[in-house]
Amino acid sequence: MSEPVLSIENLSVSFSSRRGVARVVDGVDWEVHPGQTLAVVGESGSGKSMTVLAATGLSPRGAKVGGTVRLRGEDLGAMSEVERRRARGRHVGFVYQDPMTSLNPVMPVGRQVTEASEEHLGLRGDDARSRAVELLDMVGIPSPEQRVDNYPHQFSGGMRQRVVIAMALANDPELLIADEATTALDVTTQAQILELVESLQERLGTAVVWITHDLGVVAGIADQVAVMYGGRILEHGTVDHIFGSPGHPYTQALLAARPQPGVRADRLATIPGAPPVPHQLPPGCAFYPRCPVRGDERCRTEEPPLTEIAPGHRVRTFYRAPHSGIERPAS
Amino acid sequence: MTRFVLTRLAQSAVVLLGVTLVVFLLLQLVPGDPVRVALGTRFDQETYDALRERAGLNRPLPIQYLDYVGSALVGDLGVSFRSGEPVTQIVIERLPATAALALFAVVFALLVAFPLGLISAVKNGSPVDHATRVFSQFGVSVPDFWMGIMGIIVFAGMLGWLPPSGYTSFGEDPWEWFLHLLMPSVTVGLVTAAILTRFIRSSVLEAMSQDYVRTAEGKGLMPRRVVTRHVLRNALIPVVTVAAVQLASLLGGVIVIEVLFAWPGLGRLTYDAVQARDYPVLQGAVLLVAALFLLVNLLVDVLYAKLDPRISVT
Ligand SMILES: Nc1ncnc2c1ncn2[C@@H]1O[C@H](COP(=O)(O)OP(=O)(O)OP(=O)(O)O)[C@@H](O)[C@H]1O
Ligand SMILES: [Mg+2]
């Protein structure tokens, strides 16, 4: 198999505060190959964003990051600051989670879209401008020739999200990291964007890391899925593994909580309880307090290892639940 | 933009009118009879009545006020009780000294505060940052008159480099003018610099923690470019306001410093007018200061609209 575009090994991110050390990402590893899509799913606060931010050297101030990250086979940790910066700007496109705050309010969007191309590809003046127009057009912004000179506040939330996507695609990146990239968009636009990304993958062999809450999107675009909870990977495998034979009670619960055609929203199963607070993780399995299976004492006191149960399918649990672990409320 | 400026000018005129009313009423409330004070020991009833008559003080208040505003509109602010000179001339004469002091102080403050605040924010927690914070703490907490006195002792007394006080007009001798201006304006400027340094530091820190700065870093821009293109402009927008408020308040005259350095500015004039109960002069000075304040504010709003695309002024 080809070399992965991005591989992370044993990545951890922690913050120290008066309340103690919060390990918000703990021992995460996965890789993405050219042309492939890895979906990262999990509830809010599970560490999805922090994983990719830390991997690309964009973690917030005060974060302690550990582990090894390789971009195009090269160890980012062994690079100089300048090399790391160049590699990131040239080869990685990042769609940030919050399009309302990720754009500079006092710079026209066109300039922001092609700024990375100016820096790394030497694009200038009219060339940069027409490239910006082209990119805005590509993500479906109407009359891009005029919009290119507008400022972010002149765009709606959905339009800003497209601007951020255009910005991420500016350098034909080898790696595209999309953090909730289509959450603010309507279904039609979402489909357009997904198509755009797929064509990019075909054309350039771009590897994609797609972070989302939406398991419906995952089934459509992903090759692999990593399920995160409390900063850890609970399950990791191909789409077939995750959707066909989910091994972790949490994955099963997520699948059961997925909106489905024909089922009214109020009839959907939800996962009772709330995700753990990072500086107060339970000693055993992070999911134990909410787990419907609760095998035995071991689950409460000992953290299960991430074990391979089939080639390429890893699960972090002592007890694999029977397949319909979560009941739907009777209709 | 033109319409914006015109609207704002009209608004300013209304505010100024309000200022005249407030000042006029306040002066009716303060105890002490200005005419009596003006006469001092030469008091006799006849002169007193004649003077009151001449100043129009025996007419009903509304008439007095309308008369004052009416004359003010054509540039006549009355005559000084004390010297009998036209107030307009007196306050205009004092303007250059105060304006020079204020402008010099603010320019000096910006020259000091901008690099210090920026470096201190970018190198947050470094020795430079600590030194800068000590400086601004010092500047904010030490009274300006103490710094002024120290300056006089060191630079005029011990070193003899600068004149201890006084004023020479620019037209008379530019070099002397500059030498006299240096110490009072640097004294005032140090305090302003301390305030601005703090503000610029926190404004830059605030901007640096924004998501769009992470976006810029994600693009792999050189750190210098991240600062110049993305941090600075955003950080400077609020700084403009603070710097302008400082300038406006200095234009009102820095009373303590002007008195200390025998600086013939508006602050000194106000001080003397209060002492002498010279109401027309006091009114005139307050009016001029208010007008300057409004003018600076207008300029800030125009500048703001230029800096921040989110503000539209059409
Ligand atoms: N600067 C910070 N200091 C301390 N803790 C932080 C900081 N930033 C994030 N965290 C914590 O890290 C954890 C993981 O956050 P992260 O943003 O990765 O979650 P997420 O999975 O992306 O959630 P969402 O779906 O809501 O985006 C959260 O518990 C969050 O509170
Ligand atoms: Mg997130």
Side-chain angles (χ1 to χ4, degrees):
Chain A
M1 202 170 180
S2 60
E3 196 179 32
V5 180
L6 179 72
S7 80
I8 66 181
E9 274 166 50
N10 199 22
L11 188 77
S12 67
V13 181
S14 56
F15 292 96
S16 313
S17 73
R18 265 167 278 119
R19 288 180 302 172
V21 177
R23 291 190 141 256
V24 300
V25 175
D26 196 355
V28 167
D29 46 17
W30 43 248
E31 50 188 46
V32 270
H33 292 265
Q36 293 225 311
T37 301
L38 168 76
V40 180
V41 299
E43 283 167 282
S44 191
S46 55
K48 307 182 294 293
S49 300
M50 206 52 75
T51 302
V52 289
L53 288 172
T56 47
L58 295 175
S59 49
R61 217 180 308 224
K64 251 184 75 189
V65 180
T68 313
V69 179
R70 283 174 209 283
L71 181 66
R72 308 161 81 227
E74 290 177 72
D75 186 349
L76 284 179
M79 285 183 187
S80 73
E81 188 63 45
V82 177
E83 290 169 327
R84 192 159 43 231
R85 182 161 64 66
R86 292 219 177 105
R88 175 172 70 213
R90 174 64 192 87
H91 302 295
V92 184
F94 216 126
V95 183
Y96 298 92
Q97 182 166 4
D98 192 346
M100 301 310 270
T101 57
S102 299
L103 291 169
N104 183 343
V106 299
M107 190 189 267
V109 293
R111 284 216 53 209
Q112 301 194 52
V113 165
T114 50
E115 203 181 13
S117 315
E118 278 177 44
E119 183 89 12
H120 303 287
L121 307 177
L123 208 62
R124 289 282 180 280
D126 286 350
D127 292 343
R129 193 188 154 84
S130 51
R131 173 71 174 148
V133 172
E134 182 190 349
L135 285 160
L136 293 180
D137 191 36
M138 205 159 89
V139 294
I141 289 180
S143 47
E145 296 85 2
Q146 282 96 57
R147 297 301 246 157
V148 73
D149 295 319
N150 285 174
Y151 290 91
H153 72 278
Q154 292 164 296
F155 290 78
S156 69
M159 285 292 162
R160 277 193 226 186
Q161 183 126 46
R162 297 184 210 206
V163 171
V164 177
I165 294 169
M167 191 163 71
L169 300 180
N171 283 356
D172 289 337
E174 286 180 37
L175 172 67
L176 177 69
I177 297 174
D179 195 348
E180 305 283 1
T182 54
T183 324
L185 303 178
D186 59 273
V187 187
T188 322
T189 317
Q190 179 170 335
Q192 283 168 6
I193 298 288
L194 292 178
E195 225 167 81
L196 181 70
V197 170
E198 259 169 19
S199 76
L200 196 75
Q201 285 187 289
E202 265 163 40
R203 192 159 53 89
L204 306 165
T206 302
V208 175
V209 178
W210 196 273
I211 298 176
T212 183
H213 288 107
D214 187 349
L215 283 168
V217 171
V218 172
I221 60 158
D223 300 292
Q224 295 196 43
V225 183
V227 179
M228 287 192 74
Y229 188 85
R232 285 149 228 226
I233 292 185
L234 292 193
E235 184 158 7
H236 182 201
T238 63
V239 169
D240 289 344
H241 290 141
I242 301 295
F243 286 86
S245 52
H248 200 286
Y250 179 62
T251 313
Q252 294 181 344
L254 277 182
L255 288 170
R258 181 164 48 133
Q260 272 167 358
V263 180
R264 279 170 40 195
D266 57 341
R267 293 281 166 75
L268 286 173
T270 53
I271 310 173
V277 187
H279 60 270
Q280 298 172 330
L281 281 178
C285 176
F287 188 52
Y288 179 80
R290 299 166 76 193
C291 184
V293 177
R294 296 216 181 170
D296 60 24
E297 191 57 18
R298 209 153 57 121
C299 293
R300 202 171 60 78
T301 55
E302 198 181 314
E303 172 159 32
L306 193 59
T307 25
E308 190 150 25
I309 56 169
H313 187 188
R314 300 180 297 162
V315 183
R316 191 188 290 279
T317 181
F318 293 122
Y319 287 88
R320 291 191 51 202
H323 269 185
S324 51
I326 304 292
E327 303 285 347
R328 276 228 173 89
S331 42
Chain B
M1 185 61 100
T2 323
R3 224 185 90 197
F4 168 75
V5 173
L6 289 178
T7 319
R8 286 297 308 269
L9 281 175
Q11 286 170 356
S12 305
V14 175
V15 174
L16 272 184
L17 194 66
V19 172
T20 58
L21 185 60
V22 171
V23 173
F24 187 82
L25 289 179
L26 272 180
L27 292 185
Q28 304 304 321
L29 293 178
V30 289
D33 184 335
V35 178
R36 204 174 275 267
V37 172
L39 284 176
T41 48
R42 292 168 296 150
F43 179 82
D44 71 81
Q45 194 61 42
E46 212 163 298
T47 329
Y48 177 79
D49 290 342
L51 253 181
R52 276 189 71 89
E53 176 78 44
R54 210 176 73 202
L57 291 176
N58 48 2
R59 294 173 301 163
L61 281 185
I63 301 293
Q64 283 188 42
Y65 175 68
L66 286 179
D67 184 46
Y68 180 71
V69 172
S71 317
L73 279 178
V74 293
D76 175 8
L77 296 172
V79 292
S80 162
F81 283 163
R82 207 163 51 151
S83 65
E85 284 172 43
V87 171
T88 313
Q89 189 192 325
I90 296 178
V91 292
I92 295 290
E93 266 173 18
R94 297 299 187 103
L95 190 55
T98 284
L101 184 63
L103 284 174
F104 244 74
V106 168
V107 168
F108 172 81
L110 281 173
L111 287 179
V112 172
F114 184 75
L116 278 188
L118 181 61
I119 293 170
S120 148
V122 171
K123 303 227 178 288
N124 187 12
S126 70
V128 188
D129 181 28
H130 288 299
T132 303
R133 279 152 76 180
V134 170
F135 160 76
S136 50
Q137 187 59 46
F138 177 84
V140 171
S141 40
V142 173
D144 49 2
F145 68 84
W146 185 83
M147 278 196 253
I149 292 170
M150 282 335 220
I152 293 174
I153 292 175
V154 175
F155 295 103
M158 286 158 61
L159 299 169
W161 292 350
L162 294 170
S165 67
Y167 177 77
T168 308
S169 78
F170 184 82
E172 212 173 305
D173 184 344
W175 179 242
E176 277 299 313
W177 171 81
F178 177 72
L179 289 182
H180 281 94
L181 179 59
L182 211 50
M183 220 167 10
S185 62
V186 167
T187 307
V188 176
L190 275 175
V191 178
T192 311
I195 296 170
L196 287 179
T197 302
R198 268 191 178 187
F199 193 79
I200 290 171
R201 177 178 181 274
S202 68
S203 187
V204 170
L205 276 179
E206 158 86 20
M208 286 201 311
S209 70
Q210 297 295 314
D211 283 354
Y212 54 76
V213 172
R214 186 183 62 199
T215 306
E217 281 166 356
K219 289 173 183 169
L221 302 189
M222 288 196 300
R224 188 154 40 85
R225 263 186 217 152
V226 174
V227 172
T228 52
R229 278 196 206 152
H230 296 275
V231 175
L232 270 189
R233 177 119 178 242
N234 283 287
L236 287 187
I237 291 172
V239 171
V240 167
T241 316
V242 174
V245 168
Q246 291 296 322
L247 175 65
S249 74
L250 295 184
L251 279 177
V254 196
I255 294 181
V256 178
I257 291 298
E258 289 190 0
V259 171
L260 178 67
F261 285 96
W263 194 255
L266 285 171
R268 182 71 209 243
L269 181 70
T270 312
Y271 176 79
D272 291 342
V274 169
Q275 297 269 311
R277 292 217 165 72
D278 197 344
Y279 289 177
V281 170
L282 189 55
Q283 275 176 328
V286 170
L287 207 58
L288 180 64
V289 168
L292 288 172
F293 203 91
L294 289 168
L295 185 69
V296 170
N297 265 311
L298 175 60
L299 290 178
V300 170
D301 285 347
V302 171
L303 194 58
Y304 230 98
K306 284 244 179 293
L307 283 173
D308 192 340
R310 284 163 295 188
I311 294 170
S312 74
V313 294
T314 40

